[in-house]
Amino acid sequence: MTPLAGPFYAFALLLGVAGALKLHDPRGTSGALAAAGLPRSFALVRGLGGVEVLIAAGAIWTGRPLFAGLLAAAYVTFAGFAGLALVRDLPVASCGCFGKADTPPSRTHIGITLVGAITSGWVAVAQIGPVSRILADQPWAGLPFVAATLVAAYLLYVALTLLARSASIVAGRQGSLGSMQTTRVAE
């Protein structure tokens, strides 16, 4: 087993959660896309969310290089969008990653998503195989591995939401919840 299996699965879980949240509520992502001058329809955002869920499921279930590569591409895209938002100083309270106004673009966001891209790219080369093979090699039927992976995914989510929001408030970019609502787009 590659030592990156746990982080890889954590990043895959994070992508799956992000996709599911976009399916549930596309408004935050739609607003972020609109602020960047990109197509922003709810149908498009939900389609992207569905693709994210499929990539995550494929990456976790099969561990195949194709899905690991797609996961890496997704994280490079997220880092690029967050970087674009910061460089252009776009008026967005959220990058839209989790489908709502709770993930302001930040250097933290870019760093975490680039780590996700590098981890996934490495796994695409290492070819770790299906999660069942990883779990079979773990003590206690893989329960500690699964628990650690879930905790890592949760900590990544917290870093991308609470930590990023706190950093942007300190920097003075998003001073209130009222300003966070500016990216909401009604359709």
Side-chain angles (χ1 to χ4, degrees):
M1 175 186 85
T2 177
L4 293 178
F8 171 73
Y9 291 127
F11 279 110
L13 282 169
L14 188 68
L15 182 71
V17 167
L21 290 172
K22 285 182 189 92
L23 286 167
H24 174 71
D25 184 2
R27 292 177 293 175
T29 305
S30 179
L33 292 173
L38 298 169
R40 62 174 179 84
S41 77
F42 285 2
L44 172 67
V45 172
R46 284 192 169 112
L48 291 172
V51 168
E52 290 174 0
V53 169
L54 291 174
I55 291 170
I60 292 167
W61 190 255
T62 71
R64 291 189 178 211
L66 170 67
F67 288 108
L70 291 171
L71 190 64
Y75 278 108
V76 166
T77 301
F78 298 149
F81 186 82
L84 174 76
L86 287 175
V87 168
R88 289 192 181 170
D89 198 24
L90 296 178
V92 295
S94 173
C95 65
C97 288
F98 297 107
K100 57 184 180 173
D102 68 349
T103 51
S106 67
R107 290 186 301 250
T108 299
H109 191 111
I110 294 168
I112 289 171
T113 54
L114 286 176
V115 169
I118 292 166
T119 300
S120 301
W122 185 267
V123 168
V125 173
Q127 301 184 24
I128 64 171
V131 70
S132 59
R133 184 180 331 151
I134 299 295
L135 293 176
D137 291 339
Q138 298 296 315
W140 294 359
L143 291 176
F145 178 83
V146 170
T149 301
L150 290 171
V151 167
Y154 177 73
L155 291 174
L156 288 168
Y157 176 81
V158 167
L160 289 171
T161 56
L162 297 177
L163 182 62
R165 188 175 349 156
S166 298
S168 70
I169 290 171
V170 168
R173 287 196 304 268
Q174 305 298 338
S176 71
L177 288 177
S179 68
M180 295 183 97
Q181 301 304 315
T182 61
T183 60
R184 299 269 174 165
V185 176
E187 285 192 13

